Amino acid sequence: MADGKTERDKPWMFRTYAGHSTAKASNELYRKNLSKGQTGLSIAFDLPTQTGYDSDEALARGEVGKVGVPVSHLGDMRHLLEGIPLDAMNTSMTINATAAWLLALYVSLADEQNVDRAKLTGTVQNDILKEYLSRGTYVFPPAPSLRLIKDVIVFTNREMPKWNPTNVCSYHLQEAGATPAQELAFALATAVAVLDEVKNSGEVSDEDFPSVVGAISFFVNAGVRFVTEVSKMRAFVDLWDEIARDRYGVENPKLRRFRYGVQVNSLGLTEQQPENNVYRILLSMLAVTLSKKARARAVQLPAWNEALGLPRPWDQQWSLRLQQIVAYETDLLEYGDIFDGSEVIDKKVEELKEQARAELAKLDAMGGAVAAIDYMKEALIASNAARIADIERGDQVLVGVNRYTETEPSPLDASGEGILTVSEAVELEQIAALQAWRQQRDDAAVRQALVDLKEAASEGRNIMPPSIAAAKAGVTTGEWGAVLREVFGEYRAPTGIGAEHSVDTERLKQVRELVEQVSGKLGRTLTFVVGKPGLDG
């Protein structure tokens, strides 16, 4: 058009990452958000579900329904998605070690609704390798974990062609401290490891393999360093196109597209002056929507108060409205890529690509992502330590944290109810419902389904068909997990504590003197307790 406008693009998919308490409570939240204009689901599961335990397991105690929804069996999945037609919904499930099982439950529900599997759209995150590096909800060792990812990819390629069978996740790499170049390289190396596993299995023909490459999607992070984040996403587009073309011989440009969804940076959200997080969220979102060439296909935004706890429905609505204002009130979607021809952006993109290629070459020389897990973990630990040191020194400014800390009382949380809390009674209710589920199912059918599942896992057969059969028989998440733990074993990922870190000896001396002073006043040696939050993603 004469004024430079093009035909208005369709907006990205609007999502809100949500789930808590029970399947019924989460269903109410989903339906409410969909009525407000959300266009896709993004389901958060609680930690027991993510790690393959039932709600009444001893290791699940205190975690049921806290950072996501508990799904222990097909009945929970029915309640979770009640009234939501699966053939008309794009559903993202943030699930990794147990991705094959949650997908089996989803497919089983679709079969109950007589929905053609070929019509199902959505994704499972299913990036187990990054769990060893950052998030921590791994269960099995790398080899069987890769096998599970491969099984899901092979199954969906045959029966669910519109489904994204894995969501290679650089989001948590950035949360764990990755530099932009590390985020690019480590995520791309993970995708290569997965695709090599599928190709080497021989379970997908050469003719069908390009469609496997085309089904790979990514889940990325975006922070407030705007120019760098825009450049990083454009670098992702170029590098993935190179890998798909040069390594895997994909000729169709559409199958080489870098397809990604995004959750903007939660690591950068602050508990101090949390109202400032609204600006951080907006700037981060613009980094993944302004460049048409590298625009996200789906966006989910944290709430302004997410650093404090679970957001309320109103808080989630505020984040949804932010997306809608950018998509519908601005002219963003009426123009081509506004960064094309920018010398500044082009220079930064090439710099990031050069750094990422060097890192990829190093990983390849080590034998790929799986062989380089220890190296990548140590690199992330070192990068995160450097980031924290910059904040503590004041070299990296965090408004309201290490500069401009004076503040007025916020009316947003003046009521004292600024976050959503999960009642302790939820766990008891979930356990009672789970036990009732076990009482009403056919025990003989369950036992046979578990035998079939174990045989398939032991013999190397695709895990999806027996998992779907187990879901329909009434098998629980914990029972599925126990069978695979028995076959595959469990894994202890590297800690990264061997990484070298710089130490500010003068500051360390000051801290020791303060500890001695306080210990003297207490009459005992001061102890230091470390808590590790963040496994909810």
Side-chain angles (χ1 to χ4, degrees):
M1 300 174 67
D3 61 359
K5 293 183 181 180
T6 63
E7 183 179 345
R8 186 176 179 86
D9 291 331
K10 291 182 179 179
W12 52 91
M13 189 174 300
F14 305 147
R15 283 187 170 138
T16 303
Y17 183 55
H20 64 81
S21 301
T22 66
K24 287 184 178 180
S26 297
N27 175 262
E28 292 174 9
L29 178 61
Y30 297 158
R31 294 170 74 168
K32 185 178 294 185
N33 286 346
L34 290 169
S35 72
K36 294 176 181 176
Q38 183 175 304
T39 53
L41 290 181
S42 183
I43 301 174
F45 296 96
D46 72 357
L47 289 179
T49 304
Q50 292 181 46
T51 49
Y53 292 111
D54 285 333
S55 298
D56 58 354
E57 290 269 1
L59 289 173
R61 192 169 301 152
E63 291 291 350
V64 176
K66 289 295 176 66
V67 298
V69 57
V71 175
S72 293
H73 48 74
L74 183 55
D76 283 341
M77 189 65 82
R78 289 182 190 130
H79 291 311
L80 183 66
L81 298 170
E82 184 177 355
I84 300 174
L86 300 190
D87 55 350
M89 181 51 56
N90 189 297
T91 304
S92 173
M93 295 189 281
T94 300
I95 197 78
N96 295 283
T98 55
W101 174 244
L102 270 295
L103 182 59
L105 291 172
Y106 193 86
V107 171
S108 298
L109 182 61
D111 288 350
E112 281 187 357
Q113 295 182 359
N114 293 316
V115 173
D116 185 350
R117 294 177 182 180
K119 293 182 178 179
L120 296 174
T121 60
T123 185
V124 277
Q125 193 170 104
N126 197 23
D127 180 358
I128 304 172
L129 296 185
K130 68 94 175 48
E131 297 297 317
Y132 307 132
L133 301 176
S134 53
R135 194 160 169 268
T137 59
Y138 54 82
V139 177
F140 315 114
S145 294
L146 264 179
R147 178 262 180 96
L148 289 174
I149 298 171
K150 180 265 296 177
D151 283 356
V152 170
I153 291 174
V154 171
F155 176 82
T156 55
N157 182 255
R158 292 172 181 167
E159 299 203 28
M160 303 167 65
K162 294 183 179 180
W163 193 268
N164 299 321
T166 190
N167 213 216
V168 177
C169 188
S170 72
Y171 175 87
H172 301 99
L173 299 178
Q174 188 179 123
E175 298 281 286
T179 65
Q182 288 172 336
E183 189 179 343
L184 286 163
F186 294 1
L188 292 171
T190 296
V192 166
V194 168
L195 286 174
D196 283 356
E197 179 77 8
V198 176
K199 192 171 184 64
N200 293 338
S201 74
E203 295 175 39
V204 176
S205 68
D206 291 342
E207 292 76 17
D208 289 340
F209 193 76
S211 65
V212 169
V213 178
I216 296 291
S217 62
F218 292 77
F219 185 66
V220 307
N221 206 328
V224 295
R225 290 178 57 79
F226 182 83
V227 173
T228 298
E229 295 294 340
V230 169
S231 302
K232 180 189 75 181
M233 297 320 306
R234 291 169 71 92
F236 254 134
V237 169
D238 291 349
L239 290 168
W240 183 242
D241 184 78
E242 286 178 16
I243 290 170
R245 183 190 65 237
D246 299 342
R247 187 181 184 98
Y248 299 113
V250 179
E251 297 179 358
N252 186 342
K254 291 183 178 180
L255 298 178
R256 301 199 304 262
R257 286 177 180 169
F258 184 78
R259 300 159 56 253
Y260 76 99
V262 63
Q263 159 95 11
V264 308
N265 194 304
S266 293
L267 181 68
L269 304 185
T270 64
E271 181 180 355
Q272 302 92 327
Q273 299 181 27
E275 62 276 7
N276 296 338
N277 292 331
V278 175
Y279 310 125
R280 296 181 177 112
I281 292 166
L282 173 58
L283 288 169
S284 300
M285 177 192 163
L286 291 177
V288 294
T289 55
L290 281 184
S291 176
K292 181 174 181 177
K293 173 184 177 182
R295 183 171 295 148
R297 294 211 172 186
V299 175
Q300 58 191 46
L301 303 180
W304 68 281
N305 57 353
E306 201 160 296
L308 304 175
L310 286 174
R312 301 158 298 185
W314 183 88
D315 306 316
Q316 291 191 335
Q317 174 185 298
W318 197 5
S319 290
L320 177 61
R321 294 293 182 253
L322 189 157
Q323 291 203 58
Q324 291 167 330
I325 288 168
V326 171
Y328 296 121
E329 293 191 23
T330 76
D331 57 355
L332 169 65
L333 298 177
E334 298 173 12
Y335 291 87
D337 200 304
I338 61 176
F339 295 105
D340 282 351
S342 166
E343 293 182 3
V344 172
I345 295 293
D346 286 348
K347 181 179 179 181
K348 186 63 178 178
V349 169
E350 291 306 315
E351 173 189 315
L352 288 173
K353 284 162 60 176
E354 183 178 348
Q355 293 171 355
R357 288 190 189 106
E359 195 68 47
L360 281 166
K362 184 185 296 184
L363 296 174
D364 197 44
M366 292 179 182
V370 174
I373 285 173
D374 284 20
Y375 162 75
M376 290 192 287
K377 180 70 175 181
E378 291 192 1
L380 292 176
I381 293 291
S383 295
N384 196 47
R387 182 187 68 85
I388 292 172
D390 284 346
I391 293 172
E392 291 177 341
R393 286 193 304 266
D395 294 342
Q396 179 178 333
V397 175
L398 284 183
V399 175
V401 177
N402 61 5
R403 196 179 296 183
Y404 312 117
T405 56
E406 304 81 6
T407 184
E408 298 295 329
S410 171
L412 288 172
D413 56 5
S415 67
E417 299 178 355
I419 58 172
L420 180 68
T421 57
V422 177
S423 168
E424 296 301 320
V426 162
E427 184 166 335
L428 298 176
E429 294 170 7
Q430 176 67 14
I431 289 173
L434 172 59
Q435 292 172 346
W437 172 266
R438 292 197 188 106
Q439 289 293 322
Q440 56 83 36
R441 64 187 184 175
D442 184 338
D443 288 340
V446 168
R447 286 194 298 271
Q448 186 58 52
L450 292 174
V451 168
D452 295 342
L453 176 67
K454 184 176 181 179
E455 288 179 354
S458 302
E459 296 169 5
R461 289 187 278 117
N462 193 293
I463 209 71
M464 287 304 299
S467 294
I468 293 170
K472 292 179 178 180
V475 166
T476 66
T477 298
E479 291 165 340
W480 184 90
V483 166
L484 295 198
R485 279 180 164 90
E486 184 180 349
V487 176
F488 298 146
E490 293 189 76
Y491 183 64
R492 296 287 181 184
T495 62
I497 58 174
E500 294 183 7
H501 309 297
S502 60
V503 177
D504 187 337
T505 54
E506 184 59 34
R507 189 163 180 272
L508 185 60
K509 180 182 177 182
Q510 294 172 2
V511 171
R512 283 173 174 158
E513 290 173 352
L514 285 171
V515 169
E516 289 175 0
Q517 292 173 19
V518 174
S519 297
K521 292 179 180 179
L522 291 174
R524 61 178 175 80
T525 301
L526 190 66
T527 55
F528 183 58
V529 179
V530 178
K532 170 73 171 71
L535 291 183
D536 59 330

